[in-house]
């Protein structure tokens, strides 16, 4: 039982390049989330998926897209990376949306130069 | 709108002394409250959660937190710090008015001196 896994662990991009961050969970959770973590700001929600087939914007969705590929997998895409997207990205999952604990992956450290 | 304020960005204690990490929240309804811990270069791990049951909540690794509605606080405590407690701690609130989404505080970095 791996919990929540993320790939890659580290990535360096040049401005304007694109990439997809992958996330998978094996806890049969309905809800999945993408956050970014910046110093002194805690975690901010980018997008979430309350259930398979649905996605919704969070607090900071601009510059990102997501796909809920199936119940297990939720990917985050940067179409044209910008230096402001340099951050640590965390994927999380929970049994249902909100009010209960979320379980986090180990994170992806992304640098955009 | 819900919000969380962690009153100290850094806290330093000596090993064996008590830990107090302070958190105040703002929420329209009865909130759910959480504390998460993040060790360096790791993901977040749930320490404890309050969801309208007992106001004193016990978590893992000897941590506990008390929900005080009148003070809108949810401070995290531990009687005796251990070197392995050095990490960043996040207070988190969730309520129905915000679609049950989590809102994170800015974090408190706990340093433990030998």
């Amino acid at each position: 039982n791996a919990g929540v896994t993320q790939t890659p662990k580290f990535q360096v991009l040049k401005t304007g390049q694109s990439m997809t961050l992958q996330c998978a969970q094996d806890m049969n959770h309905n809800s999945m989330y993408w956050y970014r973590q910046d110093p002194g700001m805690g975690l901010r929600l980018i997008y979430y998926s309350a259930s398979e087939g649905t996605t919704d914007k969070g607090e900071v969705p601009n510059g990102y897209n997501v796909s809920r590929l199936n119940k297990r997998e939720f990917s985050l895409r940067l179409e044209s990376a910008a230096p402001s997207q340099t951050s640590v990205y965390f994927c999380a999952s929970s049994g249902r949306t909100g009010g209960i604990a979320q379980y986090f992956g180990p994170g992806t450290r992304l640098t955009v130069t | 709108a819900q919000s969380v304020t962690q009153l100290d960005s850094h806290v330093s204690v000596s090993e064996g002394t008590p830990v107090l990490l302070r958190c105040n929240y703002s929420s329209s309804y009865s909130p759910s409250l959480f504390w998460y811990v993040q060790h360096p270069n790791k993901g977040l791990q749930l320490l404890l959660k309050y969801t309208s049951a007992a106001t004193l909540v016990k978590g893992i690794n000897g941590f506990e937190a008390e929900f005080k509605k009148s003070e809108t606080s949810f401070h995290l405590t531990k009687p005796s710090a251990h070197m392995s407690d050095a990490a960043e701690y996040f207070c988190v609130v969730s309520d129905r008015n915000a679609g049950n989404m989590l809102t994170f505080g800015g974090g408190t970095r706990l340093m433990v001196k030998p």
Side-chain angles (χ1 to χ4, degrees):
Chain A
N1 189 337
V4 179
T5 57
Q6 293 182 236
T7 55
K9 285 186 167 44
F10 302 94
Q11 183 71 50
V12 179
L13 291 178
K14 294 188 190 308
T15 297
Q17 287 184 319
S18 63
M19 79 160 297
T20 300
L21 282 63
Q22 306 286 355
C23 173
Q25 53 92 9
D26 62 4
M27 295 175 282
N28 201 35
H29 282 166
N30 288 317
S31 301
M32 298 184 73
Y33 312 81
W34 276 105
Y35 292 89
R36 60 178 289 171
Q37 182 180 28
D38 301 294
M41 301 185 74
L43 274 70
R44 292 180 293 167
L45 183 65
I46 304 171
Y47 270 93
Y48 69 100
S49 170
S51 60
E52 187 178 354
T54 69
T55 60
D56 284 287
K57 296 178 180 179
E59 182 184 352
V60 288
N62 291 344
Y64 305 95
N65 285 301
V66 291
S67 295
R68 183 75 183 267
L69 303 168
N70 47 56
K71 191 171 186 179
R72 288 188 64 248
E73 299 172 289
F74 188 39
S75 63
L76 178 72
R77 183 161 179 84
L78 287 70
E79 291 291 351
S80 178
S84 61
Q85 294 177 304
T86 293
S87 189
V88 182
Y89 291 86
F90 288 98
C91 178
S93 70
S94 65
R96 57 175 171 82
T97 305
I100 62 171
Q102 295 179 11
Y103 296 86
F104 286 81
T108 295
R109 188 173 293 274
L110 175 67
T111 301
V112 183
T113 61
Chain B
Q2 63 184 19
S3 65
V4 179
T5 302
Q6 292 184 240
L7 297 160
D8 307 290
S9 60
H10 293 80
V11 169
S12 181
V13 301
S14 297
E15 191 174 21
T17 64
V19 175
L20 170 64
L21 305 183
R22 299 181 296 165
C23 171
N24 285 102
Y25 69 90
S26 171
S27 173
S28 301
Y29 286 102
S30 295
S32 297
L33 291 156
F34 309 84
W35 276 98
Y36 282 86
V37 61
Q38 183 181 30
H39 288 94
N41 300 313
K42 300 287 188 187
L44 281 75
Q45 180 185 17
L46 180 67
L47 270 182
L48 51 81
K49 61 181 178 181
Y50 165 78
T51 54
S52 76
T55 56
L56 183 62
V57 182
K58 293 189 184 301
I60 61 171
N61 300 334
F63 284 95
E64 61 182 39
E66 186 171 8
F67 173 69
K68 291 188 176 180
K69 188 173 182 178
S70 60
E71 299 175 12
T72 61
S73 69
F74 190 58
H75 302 333
L76 182 70
T77 61
K78 182 173 180 178
S80 176
H82 191 273
M83 295 297 291
S84 61
D85 295 328
E88 185 137 24
Y89 292 79
F90 293 96
C91 182
V92 181
V93 66
S94 167
D95 75 25
R96 287 179 288 157
N97 235 21
N100 289 320
M101 290 297 112
L102 301 187
T103 297
F104 285 76
T108 298
R109 182 163 298 279
L110 175 65
M111 293 166 282
V112 182
K113 298 175 289 187

